[in-house]
Amino acid sequence: MDAHQLPLAGVEPDAPRPNHHLFFAVLPEPRAAQAAADLAQTLITRHDPQAQVRAQRLHATLLSLGWEPALSPRHLQWARDAAQQVRARAFSLRFDRVLSFRRAPQAKRPCVLCGPADGQQGFIALYEALHTALWSQVRGLDGVPHAPHITPHMTLCYSRQAVPEQPVPPLEWTVRRFVLLHNLRGSPGPYEVLGEWPLAD
């Protein structure tokens, strides 16, 4: 399970193939999105010409709610109710290096943007607030589990060729909202936005 993914109650091991993914994320401003897409294309040209940039899908995942065989109204309401409880301030998010995450053998590796800890404090605070809001609604728990460690990042593309860690021109923008996204497995288009919530100025 991903470090920032919550388990979905009621999903059985022998259930139909999960094709629907709900997750919270922050989206780059247009200028930052264009800079990230341009950087991705440069890296693809240099390391793996067969990789693809999907500019309309650029985001930084806050927290995944997992995959389901069908989009559940109950889980969707759970997510929206939790998001309404979050109180966090707008923040600056900064990425300044690129690298490839490890994956299973033969699998394509995510080429991602990462950044310094002092450029991601607001992101971590929002993640922790959202984690607390979600778990506080799970019945039968004695307290809220500690939020697992995460590495804030933005995936630029997936490549069979690993990209060595290297500095890149800083990419920074002010995050003023967070969103709930729906990903349908195999869909080539943008994610479906199922909710968005502003952050305090």
Side-chain angles (χ1 to χ4, degrees), residues 45-62:
T45 301
R46 185 182 305 162
H47 296 282
D48 185 359
Q50 295 184 344
Q52 293 183 337
V53 182
R54 288 196 271 182
Q56 72 273 26
R57 289 190 166 215
L58 291 171
H59 68 279
T61 299
L62 280 163

Side-chain angles (χ1 to χ4, degrees), residues 1 3 8 26 29 32 36 39 42 46 52 57 79 87-88 99 103 112 118 143-144 146 151 185 188:
M1 182 179 294
L8 288 172
V26 300
E29 294 178 343
L39 173 61
T42 298
R46 185 182 305 162
Q52 293 183 337
R57 289 190 166 215
R87 298 292 179 268
L99 67 149
R103 289 291 290 269
V112 305
D118 60 0
V144 175
H146 180 72
T151 300
R185 191 187 299 275

